[in-house]
Amino acid sequence: MNKFLSTAALTLCCLFFYPAQAATLSVDMVPGAGIDSSLATTKGANFAVNIFINDVKDLAGFELELAFDNSVLAATSIVSAGLFGADTFLISDAISAGKISFAELSLAFSGNDYASDTLLATVSFKVLAAGVSQIDLLNVLLSDANGDVIQPLTLHAGHVTATDIGIVPLPGVAWLFGSGLLGLARLARKN
């Protein structure tokens, strides 16, 4: 009986005190080294946003929405990173005003493990007007090879600050250069 109680206690301790792994999805506003959650840009500019996944085991499918302010930004394309390789089956890659819906699943019998930042997709945007827009991950659903939901999830959003392209004043160097040319022209006329 004592052996049964010891085993039961150990099992309960493992269930309650074993650290749960939280899958993480991040919006990277500046592709390159590290995850950057903000971007400063100008009206009329084009930029790309990467969506990364991390700390997930047995991933066999995902569904997500990316929401943004459509008075400031327009999504122009979404490109899958081919996370599941040749077994990738695209379910949705719809772009509408202020929202992108994207979903894929693996046709393989087992899911994939991702312990470090792994590219899920790249979304391209065009800046329509000056302003600030959050880029939020919404309605995210991850599933394993059995079709079970993977939880918990940690979501990291991004934001864009866009400014108007203003009139660029003529720098003082140009004034100095111009006056120097006038001085040379005057010397040349004297000689």
Side-chain angles (χ1 to χ4, degrees):
M1 183 72 155
N2 285 340
K3 187 174 183 180
F4 173 74
L5 288 176
S6 299
T7 305
L10 181 62
T11 303
L12 285 174
C13 285
C14 287
L15 287 174
F16 290 109
F17 298 111
Y18 184 76
Q21 187 173 16
T24 304
L25 268 78
S26 303
V27 175
D28 182 18
M29 303 301 296
V30 183
I35 304 288
D36 298 306
S37 63
S38 64
L39 173 71
T41 187
T42 56
K43 179 180 171 182
N46 295 304
F47 66 94
V49 169
N50 288 331
I51 303 170
F52 284 97
I53 191 163
N54 189 353
D55 291 333
V56 65
K57 291 185 183 214
D58 195 30
L59 179 69
F62 64 87
E63 179 179 343
L64 62 88
E65 291 178 353
L66 199 64
F68 54 92
D69 184 345
N70 64 337
S71 67
V72 177
L73 303 175
T76 57
S77 70
I78 183 164
V79 178
S80 170
L83 199 63
F84 304 119
D87 294 322
T88 300
F89 181 74
L90 177 66
I91 296 172
S92 171
D93 65 348
I95 298 174
S96 59
K99 184 174 79 172
I100 293 171
S101 298
F102 187 57
E104 290 182 341
L105 64 89
S106 172
L107 298 176
F109 292 109
S110 63
N112 297 337
D113 298 343
Y114 301 102
S116 61
D117 289 329
T118 303
L119 185 63
L120 194 67
T122 300
V123 181
S124 296
F125 287 95
K126 179 170 181 69
V127 180
L128 301 176
V132 176
S133 175
Q134 282 291 117
I135 298 184
D136 292 316
L137 288 159
L138 304 173
N139 302 320
V140 176
L141 178 67
L142 304 179
S143 63
D144 64 17
N146 294 325
D148 296 326
V149 174
I150 297 172
Q151 290 182 336
L153 288 177
T154 303
L155 305 176
H156 297 283
H159 71 274
V160 175
T161 303
T163 58
D164 279 322
I165 300 173
I167 299 170
V168 180
L170 195 55
V173 173
W175 286 109
L176 286 173
F177 180 73
S179 60
L181 284 177
L182 287 174
L184 287 174
R186 193 168 185 190
L187 281 174
R189 277 179 93 188
K190 275 187 173 181
N191 292 338

